[in-house]
Amino acid sequence: MTRFIFITGGVVSSLGKGLASAALGALLQARGYAVRLRKLDPYLNVDPGTMSPYQHGEVYVTDDGAETDLDLGHYERFTGVSSRRSDNVTTGRIYSTVIARERHGDYLGATIQVIPHVTDAIKEFVTADLDGADFALIEIGGTVGDIEGLPFLEAIRQLGNELGPERSMFVHLTLLPYIPSAGELKTKPTQHSVKELLSVGIQPDLLLCRSERPIPDSERRKIALFCNVVQDAVIPALDVSTIYRVPISYHEGGLDVQVCKHFRLPHDSEPDLSRWTNIVGRVTQPEGEVTIAVVGKYIKLLDAYKSLAEALAHGGIANNVRVRLDWIDSEAFEGEDPVDILDNANAILVPGGFGERGTEGKIKAVRFARERRVPYFGICFGMQMAVIEAARHLAGLEGASSTEFGPAVDPVVGLMTEWASGSEIVRRGADSGMGGTMRLGAYECRLKEGSRAHGIYRSAAISERHRHRYEVNIRYRERLEAAGLVFSGLSPDEVLPEIVEIPDHPWFIGVQFHPELKSKPFDPHPLFTAFIRAAVEQSRLV
Ligand code: GLN
């Protein structure tokens, strides 16, 4: 029997609802329950795949090829449960489903309305494909009071009624701002936000209160009184030094016990939080520090590289070092000498990206890393830049480029129009739409015996997640390998290059996929562990 916990947010956005949901998932797991986390996003895009990273942050890709909200990344990193297409839905997708059904004649005779047709479609989504999880944690995007969120709130209100309190619970995340001149934490915004929820028929069962300082009991009592919850269900969610402390801090605040009490589940024993205490110990007592230069484009909004920053931190956890990230706008290299900018880095990483702007700077960063023998990790676009750099400066193909930037003399990176996905052939034309048309999701890759990649993965076949439109052109393989760039990972049909490396270099690897999407703090990705280890070794040389 699956129990549902609905998580809404109030007062302001950016309170970390995704992280809070993920941490609650981790806590319930630590009590031995199976969890599944999902997110309902109230915007009209069918998925976030077409949104700018500046607007929305990273697009998180699942194994089954869905482009989803970055909160799903938090869910996976905190619980280890692989997300699926069915774990993220938007208003846009719900409406397109309902409209397609209407056109198909599924509702013949009826007038299609938000209630019940749209709300039914939402409920269907929320309750489907749960694999018998003990708990489904359903996060509702946006802030209570937003017009867009209303159909979702109505749908979960109905579900709450249908399931009853023994199978459903409403958790509301709010903020208690601290007013320095009064020396007080203020509860009024929380009261108003709960009122807003009540106005759509939802009485929260538990309040998770974000606050930068401890919440006095008197204030918890006041919130309980005004918001109609028991005082023990007003849980402090205080700022913590590292996000990995959040599950521990929630437990100290009594969150898991309250949830168990609500569902009448046993709560006398302690949850096993050793996984989190270990990680916090390593993060707060590192034995050293390395600096990684991340040369990218979307550095003004670091959420655009959320999983990447996390995976690098995980590599630090594996090596007992703190990883300092130096975010560099690749356009900075276009005028200046990269030496001045990159000299302090123990390793260089070029992450995923789209479009021509800033690419010459990225290529300069690759060249610097290759010639100076500084560890280099190229991810997706970063691999493509490494291939262009090697083609131009090692193989003498001066006109080497990617067709993403227009016609090229030597298209070492080009648009693939056909590729194998399992036993199927996927086809795409230059005029295919933009949404959902990239090579998306998990694909198998075979590793070359004896290569560095093979040594790192310790396996001949791996599976990693993709999100890109262009591919390294296999026709240049011989010329590039002769020049020193080895193709150490290929698709099973040997058509798509997946990994390139330079054996005669301390650590130089480019991967076409996004390994950062699968890294977890308690299970750091082997490529990030090896990359940070190489950075540590480099730091000992200087
Ligand atoms: N722009 C490149 C492509 O579409 C790389 C994409 C990426 O880095 N995710 O192939």
Side-chain angles (χ1 to χ4, degrees):
M1 180 182 78
T2 304
R3 299 167 181 86
F4 291 81
I5 302 180
F6 301 105
I7 299 135
T8 53
V11 184
V12 290
S13 57
S14 306
L15 285 181
K17 204 159 10 103
L19 200 57
S21 307
L24 174 55
L27 262 185
L28 291 168
Q29 260 188 344
R31 285 194 168 271
Y33 296 110
V35 298
R36 179 150 283 282
L37 284 94
R38 318 207 128 143
K39 171 123 196 242
L40 312 178
D41 272 313
Y43 48 74
L44 280 165
N45 302 57
V46 171
D47 62 44
T50 55
M51 279 189 220
S52 158
Y54 285 123
Q55 283 257 332
H56 192 260
E58 158 187 282
V59 173
Y60 189 79
V61 181
T62 58
D63 276 335
D64 60 359
E67 297 179 275
T68 72
D69 187 80
L70 56 75
D71 279 334
L72 275 77
H74 290 307
Y75 304 163
E76 264 202 54
R77 285 190 286 275
F78 272 75
T79 65
V81 178
S82 284
S83 319
R84 301 191 286 237
R85 185 175 295 277
S86 52
D87 292 324
N88 186 200
V89 82
T90 67
T91 300
R93 186 173 297 284
I94 294 284
Y95 273 80
S96 24
T97 308
V98 171
I99 291 168
R101 286 179 185 166
E102 184 274 333
R103 291 290 83 186
H104 189 249
D106 294 357
Y107 309 109
L108 270 190
T111 306
I112 316 306
Q113 293 179 302
V114 173
I115 306 171
H117 301 98
V118 168
T119 46
D120 278 355
I122 296 172
K123 290 195 286 183
E124 223 175 88
F125 171 82
V126 167
T127 52
D129 201 18
L130 286 168
D131 282 353
D134 299 312
F135 283 97
L137 275 58
I138 316 289
E139 176 189 347
I140 291 86
T143 308
V144 167
D146 298 345
I147 291 178
E148 292 91 345
L150 285 173
F152 287 115
L153 294 178
E154 170 58 17
I156 63 168
R157 181 196 69 77
Q158 292 177 17
L159 270 175
N161 264 346
E162 289 159 22
L163 297 163
E166 53 292 337
R167 281 193 63 198
S168 67
M169 177 172 191
F170 292 93
V171 171
H172 191 52
L173 181 69
T174 76
L175 173 72
L176 302 189
Y178 178 74
I179 308 293
S181 57
E184 279 177 2
L185 287 171
K186 290 296 180 190
T187 66
K188 192 74 84 190
T190 296
Q191 297 175 36
H192 279 289
S193 157
V194 169
K195 241 188 206 161
E196 195 79 49
L197 254 189
L198 279 170
S199 74
V200 294
I202 295 174
Q203 163 67 56
D205 299 299
L206 184 143
L207 298 173
L208 207 43
C209 302
R210 286 298 308 274
S211 166
E212 57 182 71
R213 9 191 113 206
I215 307 172
D217 274 348
S218 57
E219 298 309 293
R220 288 177 63 212
R221 203 172 312 124
K222 187 161 148 195
I223 296 170
L225 188 65
F226 282 98
C227 299
N228 194 25
V229 296
V230 294
Q231 187 179 327
D232 284 348
V234 180
I235 311 275
L238 305 183
D239 293 354
V240 282
S241 54
T242 146
I243 58 168
Y244 310 118
R245 247 199 78 79
V246 177
I248 302 170
S249 150
Y250 284 180
H251 170 65
E252 289 163 357
L255 178 61
D256 49 320
V257 168
Q258 278 311 308
V259 171
C260 290
K261 274 190 184 165
H262 174 94
F263 289 111
R264 301 181 193 287
L265 293 166
H267 53 268
D268 294 336
S269 60
E270 281 291 300
D272 177 10
L273 292 172
S274 52
R275 174 183 267 187
W276 301 104
T277 37
N278 275 339
I279 294 170
V280 170
R282 279 167 169 257
V283 170
T284 49
Q285 285 144 20
E287 285 163 11
E289 179 178 284
V290 290
T291 301
I292 311 293
V294 183
V295 182
K297 180 154 99 177
Y298 312 110
I299 55 162
K300 280 188 210 87
L301 180 72
L302 293 184
D303 266 0
Y305 300 117
K306 192 75 212 162
S307 296
L308 177 69
E310 288 297 314
L312 286 163
H314 303 162
I317 293 174
N319 288 285
N320 268 324
V321 290
R322 196 171 97 85
V323 178
R324 214 178 67 78
L325 300 181
D326 198 358
W327 300 94
I328 299 169
D329 186 340
S330 59
E331 282 184 292
F333 296 111
E334 265 148 38
E336 269 180 77
D337 188 353
V339 180
D340 299 335
I341 306 176
L342 292 173
D343 226 15
N344 293 328
N346 301 122
I348 297 170
L349 189 149
V350 175
F354 292 85
E356 188 171 15
R357 189 165 59 79
T359 49
E360 291 306 318
K362 292 180 190 177
I363 292 168
K364 273 194 190 171
V366 179
R367 185 173 196 173
F368 177 94
R370 181 176 61 74
E371 291 181 345
R372 297 284 193 112
R373 303 179 66 77
V374 177
Y376 175 79
F377 194 4
I379 294 183
C380 205
F381 206 50
M383 168 194 187
Q384 298 175 357
M385 295 301 110
V387 170
I388 295 173
E389 196 280 325
R392 286 187 192 169
H393 306 125
L394 287 177
L397 303 167
E398 275 165 40
S401 187
S402 165
T403 57
E404 183 171 357
F405 320 137
V409 180
D410 275 302
V412 290
V413 179
L415 184 69
M416 273 296 287
T417 53
E418 212 175 90
W419 66 89
S421 171
S423 55
E424 277 174 46
I425 299 288
V426 185
R427 289 196 173 78
R428 179 179 54 200
D431 56 354
S432 303
M434 294 300 265
T437 57
M438 288 188 257
R439 178 148 81 102
L440 288 167
Y443 281 82
E444 192 185 325
C445 160
R446 305 262 165 88
L447 303 180
K448 186 175 166 163
E449 191 93 29
S451 63
R452 174 169 276 141
H454 187 261
I456 289 171
Y457 278 100
R458 293 202 206 128
S459 166
I462 56 162
S463 167
E464 293 280 4
R465 297 180 193 169
H466 290 252
R467 180 173 187 256
H468 54 102
R469 204 164 261 122
Y470 296 83
E471 305 278 353
V472 172
N473 192 336
I474 192 78
R475 278 185 238 131
Y476 288 90
R477 180 178 182 180
E478 262 177 43
R479 269 178 285 178
L480 288 166
E481 291 205 327
L485 187 76
V486 171
F487 287 39
S488 53
L490 293 172
S491 58
D493 61 5
E494 304 200 341
V495 173
L496 304 175
E498 296 275 16
I499 308 181
V500 295
E501 57 186 76
I502 298 181
D504 180 24
H505 187 283
W507 207 98
F508 190 106
I509 293 186
V511 296
Q512 187 56 75
F513 43 81
H514 288 278
E516 72 274 24
L517 300 177
K518 297 216 325 191
S519 188
K520 317 210 165 52
F522 44 83
D523 184 15
H525 191 288
L527 280 172
F528 284 91
T529 302
F531 178 58
I532 298 298
R533 188 178 309 124
V536 172
E537 276 157 25
Q538 203 277 348
S539 74
R540 293 201 181 115
L541 295 177
V542 287

